[in-house]
Amino acid sequence: MIEFKNVSKSYRKGIKAVDDLSLTINDGEIFGFLGPNGAGKSTTIRMLTGILNIDEGQILLDGKDIEKEPIEAKKTFGYVADDPDQFLALKGIEYLNFMADVYNVENRKEKIQQLSEKFEIADALSSRIESYSHGMRQKIVICGCLMHDPKNWILDEPMTGLDPRSSFDLKEMMRKHADEGKCVFFSTHVLDVAEKLCDRVGIINKGKLLFTGTLQEMRDTFEENASLEELFLEITEND
Amino acid sequence: MIRNIINLTKVFLISSFSRGGNRKKKNNIGKIALYAVLFIYLAGVFGYLSYEVLSGLIAVKQEEAFIGLILMAIITLVLFTTIISTMNVLYFSDDNLFVLPLPFKPLEVLCAKLNTLLIYVYMEEMMLGIAPLAMYGWMTKQNILYYLFMVIVLLLVPVVPLLLVTMIVICIMALTRGIRNKSLVQLITMSLSVIFSLMISMVSSSMNTNEDVMAMMNKAGSLVGIYKKAFVTMPMAIDALTKYDILSLILLIVISLAAYALVSIFAQKLYYRGMLGSLYSSSGISDKKLNEKSYQSKGLMFSYVMKEIRVYFRRPTFFVQLILPCLLLPAFTIGITYFSIVSQMGEELSAGLDFIYADSDFSGYVFAVLILLVMFISMYSFISTIAVSKDGHDAYAMKYLPVAFHRQLICKMIPDIAVCLLSYAVVAVMAMILFRVPLIHVLLSIPVAVLYSILHGFLILSDVRRPKLDWTSEIQIVKKNMRMMFTMAYSLLNMGLVAVLAFILNMDLYVMCAILSVLYLALDVLLYRYIERKDIALADGFE
């Protein structure tokens, strides 16, 4: 479970990148975090993962405060950043072993083989990540994130660069993860994916959370039987 | 076509000098000032050296030989630097991927690349060529025509050597369909340049007397003859400068331009053949099969340290700029010092050393020299000062991985500590072999060296507060990091302390060892406690 309690963050005086955000993502659901460019999505995710300090409020992951119990809180999630160009000097297998050591993964061989075969990068593991294509880099980062089987998945634009097969596999894994009573929090610009996959969505714009709920609740609120894309545009344009 | 070539040349130059990042006007003015100071300094050094050499040559009425020597030096510099820069500019530049889809002819792209190489050469030539030739003009009382000819010669002399090297590289790349391992090529070329620089230092430091200089000049004189035969434009350049021979100057201009035109026209297809073959680097591609060992756990700390070491060794810029100098410097420093002393003292060195080691009053001095060497070498280790910055955006992983921040900092310090200690080990062994330093001095220096190296590792604190994570080229981090000044200042401070203890307070080696060990141990413990207590708060500087 992920909880945001009155979270705010400012980069400059008077301008809040995230303004009094309160939100709970329950176990067993896939939560889509949507918003236009510069809305505050990445800032929110960075605060959630401990990259950014919180100015006001509190963020809890499975009851652990990200600022007061950082190590314990960080063990509860796996994070895929929006930039897959990470650890380029390492070989794929070295990166996965490193992540396995960080998270103290047991059965690492089985986990690595299972994930790398699932995402079809098993043959590339002995090569350096810098030689991978964009999509392969995204896949190796996803493998590294999921290896320790974290309860909370935090994914920032995870489908970018993935081929259709891998994108389908990831969506299936996300669904299965949530169905097992765990939590998936992900941001995306692809509203079709969010519409089909998410149990609930949150729409943020200019630092403020404009809507939280299911797609049906959104339709009921705006009294329109429109697609998520149309409702999203209406919500963010009217703000 | 000419306009396209000029525009492309501008783009290649701008992109190679700016390499991303925000360029603030303030920084540019600072950089220009810094380069101006550097140019003046180097011009002064070369000018002074030229004055010394010319004074000797004028005395024996051989001053015209100086022109040949300078032009030979310029051509040698052009040959060497062109070998290094041709691969990067022609084949491994990121510009190639952007230029290829655009409607430029191969001839235009090749000419723009050649112009870029020429401009790099001119920038280096400015430091090496202008001051000596200007000094010649002043000391031999030349008129304004000499200086005009000088400018034209400096513009044209590099052309033929540069084209020669470029043509050879283009042919090799075309025949082999390109070399794909960019990292390996960069590693070899950069390592060669570091070794070459150290060898130049070694040669120049062996010239202690005027007799040494004149002996070197005589050897160089015979080389000038070889260069004149190899490079047809060199005799013309010499005649233009020494005899105001207009015909030679015209021939120099015509031959240089004709060579440029011929190489561009004939090499354009070969260039593209090689360029397309090397577009996608094969650096890092391996088809090795994984085995049981590939999945073994080696513990978190070991794994983290290995991750760091792999980055230093697999990134040619980091390896050549950070690791290689520290490993080579001790050997070169001790070697140069030894041969320099032996050349002056000869057999008296051995007797002198026996006297020093036998007298207990000198024990502190010998010990101090060993420790000063540790500190001198560590002055050139900048690993800790860029340990966080070198990760670029990967550094954010330090904040979301469930590993205590202070432990991650320790892992990042270890490569610096290891390099310092390894360098010192080389120093100690060479000191024992070449200078027969007694074992007791070496043994007592070890704890001080270890504790000082650990303290040196804590220079990471200068980086972690405000790391520079937005870079697109590793050279931005290595060369433009002002924190290197901290490293030098810090080392000099400690060297001053040791000098005071040994040469002013005249402490013996046991007392010095005890004082320095206790001091550095206390500092190490204090700093460790500090980073342990502060932990993640130290990362507030990068968000």
Side-chain angles (χ1 to χ4, degrees), chain B residues 74-125:
Chain B
I74 290 172
I75 290 172
T76 307
L77 177 73
V78 170
L79 289 173
F80 195 78
T81 56
T82 307
I83 291 169
I84 294 168
S85 55
T86 299
M87 291 297 286
N88 282 329
V89 170
L90 262 59
Y91 295 99
F92 295 138
S93 170
D94 292 337
D95 303 327
N96 293 346
L97 281 171
F98 299 114
V99 161
L100 280 170
L102 298 174
F104 289 113
K105 296 176 193 157
L107 180 63
E108 291 167 343
V109 174
L110 178 59
C111 284
K113 293 278 186 182
L114 288 175
N115 293 346
T116 305
L117 282 170
L118 260 175
I119 289 169
Y120 284 165
V121 162
Y122 289 148
M123 287 168 66
E124 286 154 2
E125 192 191 34

Side-chain angles (χ1 to χ4, degrees), chain B residues 201-343:
Chain B
S201 304
M202 205 167 155
V203 165
S204 58
S205 68
S206 70
M207 293 195 287
N208 297 312
T209 63
N210 283 338
E211 287 76 21
D212 292 332
V213 173
M214 294 313 292
M216 183 64 65
M217 297 295 294
N218 285 332
K219 284 180 194 167
S222 57
L223 271 178
V224 171
I226 297 170
Y227 270 64
K228 277 183 183 177
K229 287 176 188 164
F231 300 99
V232 294
T233 51
M234 189 169 158
M236 294 164 203
I238 293 173
D239 286 343
L241 287 177
T242 56
K243 296 169 188 165
Y244 299 114
D245 189 346
I246 300 275
L247 187 61
S248 293
L249 190 69
I250 292 170
L251 274 174
L252 175 64
I253 295 169
V254 167
I255 289 174
S256 300
L257 290 176
Y260 184 98
L262 282 169
V263 166
S264 307
I265 292 165
F266 287 112
Q268 53 178 314
K269 282 193 181 148
L270 288 176
Y271 169 52
Y272 259 51
R273 195 174 169 191
M275 197 235 277
L276 291 169
S278 64
L279 262 183
Y280 290 95
S281 175
S282 70
S283 298
I285 294 179
S286 167
D287 52 8
K288 263 190 200 172
K289 295 281 177 236
L290 300 176
N291 52 34
E292 280 304 315
K293 276 191 189 171
S294 306
Y295 302 97
Q296 275 176 0
S297 169
K298 295 186 174 71
L300 173 60
M301 296 292 278
F302 183 85
S303 191
Y304 204 112
V305 173
M306 283 309 297
K307 171 183 84 70
E308 294 293 309
I309 289 174
R310 283 180 178 125
V311 173
Y312 290 120
F313 276 82
R314 288 177 181 171
R315 288 279 175 264
T317 305
F318 291 151
F319 178 75
V320 171
Q321 301 289 340
L322 300 173
I323 306 286
L324 201 61
C326 287
L327 298 178
L328 292 179
L329 194 64
F332 274 86
T333 306
I334 301 280
I336 289 167
T337 308
Y338 177 75
F339 289 112
S340 184
I341 294 175
V342 162
S343 70

Side-chain angles (χ1 to χ4, degrees), chain A residues 63 89 98 108 117 143 145 157-158 163 168 176 178 183 214 225 227:
Chain A
F98 171 70
R108 65 172 61 196
E117 278 159 19
C143 291
C145 152
E157 309 276 0
D163 54 58
F168 179 81
K176 187 167 172 251
C183 169
T214 64
N225 197 24
S227 69

Side-chain angles (χ1 to χ4, degrees), chain B residues 212-490:
Chain B
D212 292 332
V213 173
M214 294 313 292
M216 183 64 65
M217 297 295 294
N218 285 332
K219 284 180 194 167
S222 57
L223 271 178
V224 171
I226 297 170
Y227 270 64
K228 277 183 183 177
K229 287 176 188 164
F231 300 99
V232 294
T233 51
M234 189 169 158
M236 294 164 203
I238 293 173
D239 286 343
L241 287 177
T242 56
K243 296 169 188 165
Y244 299 114
D245 189 346
I246 300 275
L247 187 61
S248 293
L249 190 69
I250 292 170
L251 274 174
L252 175 64
I253 295 169
V254 167
I255 289 174
S256 300
L257 290 176
Y260 184 98
L262 282 169
V263 166
S264 307
I265 292 165
F266 287 112
Q268 53 178 314
K269 282 193 181 148
L270 288 176
Y271 169 52
Y272 259 51
R273 195 174 169 191
M275 197 235 277
L276 291 169
S278 64
L279 262 183
Y280 290 95
S281 175
S282 70
S283 298
I285 294 179
S286 167
D287 52 8
K288 263 190 200 172
K289 295 281 177 236
L290 300 176
N291 52 34
E292 280 304 315
K293 276 191 189 171
S294 306
Y295 302 97
Q296 275 176 0
S297 169
K298 295 186 174 71
L300 173 60
M301 296 292 278
F302 183 85
S303 191
Y304 204 112
V305 173
M306 283 309 297
K307 171 183 84 70
E308 294 293 309
I309 289 174
R310 283 180 178 125
V311 173
Y312 290 120
F313 276 82
R314 288 177 181 171
R315 288 279 175 264
T317 305
F318 291 151
F319 178 75
V320 171
Q321 301 289 340
L322 300 173
I323 306 286
L324 201 61
C326 287
L327 298 178
L328 292 179
L329 194 64
F332 274 86
T333 306
I334 301 280
I336 289 167
T337 308
Y338 177 75
F339 289 112
S340 184
I341 294 175
V342 162
S343 70
Q344 287 180 2
M345 292 181 67
E347 287 171 8
E348 291 173 11
L349 173 64
S350 187
L353 288 174
D354 288 337
F355 174 75
I356 289 169
Y357 297 144
D359 191 340
S360 61
D361 286 344
F362 291 122
S363 68
Y365 299 163
V366 174
F367 181 76
V369 167
L370 280 176
I371 300 302
L372 286 170
L373 278 170
V374 174
M375 295 173 174
F376 174 73
I377 288 158
S378 68
M379 197 157 61
Y380 293 93
S381 174
F382 305 113
I383 295 171
S384 278
T385 57
I386 64 142
V388 178
S389 297
K390 73 148 188 355
D391 286 343
H393 286 248
D394 283 354
Y396 293 117
M398 292 177 77
K399 300 187 84 174
Y400 66 75
L401 290 178
V403 180
F405 194 76
H406 73 276
R407 290 183 79 196
Q408 296 188 63
L409 289 182
I410 297 292
C411 291
K412 285 182 171 297
M413 283 163 54
I414 288 173
D416 185 287
I417 297 167
V419 163
C420 285
L421 287 176
L422 191 60
S423 305
Y424 180 63
V426 171
V427 163
V429 167
M430 289 185 76
M432 286 172 67
I433 294 170
L434 295 176
F435 292 97
R436 294 186 289 112
V437 171
L439 186 61
I440 185 67
H441 289 84
V442 174
L443 287 177
L444 286 176
S445 70
I446 291 172
V448 179
V450 169
L451 292 168
Y452 179 78
S453 298
I454 294 171
L455 189 63
H456 189 270
F458 278 108
L459 282 168
I460 197 171
L461 287 168
S462 68
D463 190 30
V464 74
R465 284 288 189 184
R466 284 271 185 275
K468 293 183 199 313
L469 304 178
D470 288 322
W471 50 265
T472 51
S473 160
E474 287 130 14
I475 206 77
Q476 287 176 299
I477 288 299
V478 172
K479 287 292 191 193
K480 298 173 187 181
N481 185 355
M482 296 306 289
R483 292 189 195 103
M484 291 175 181
M485 305 297 288
F486 286 154
T487 309
M488 293 198 162
Y490 165 83

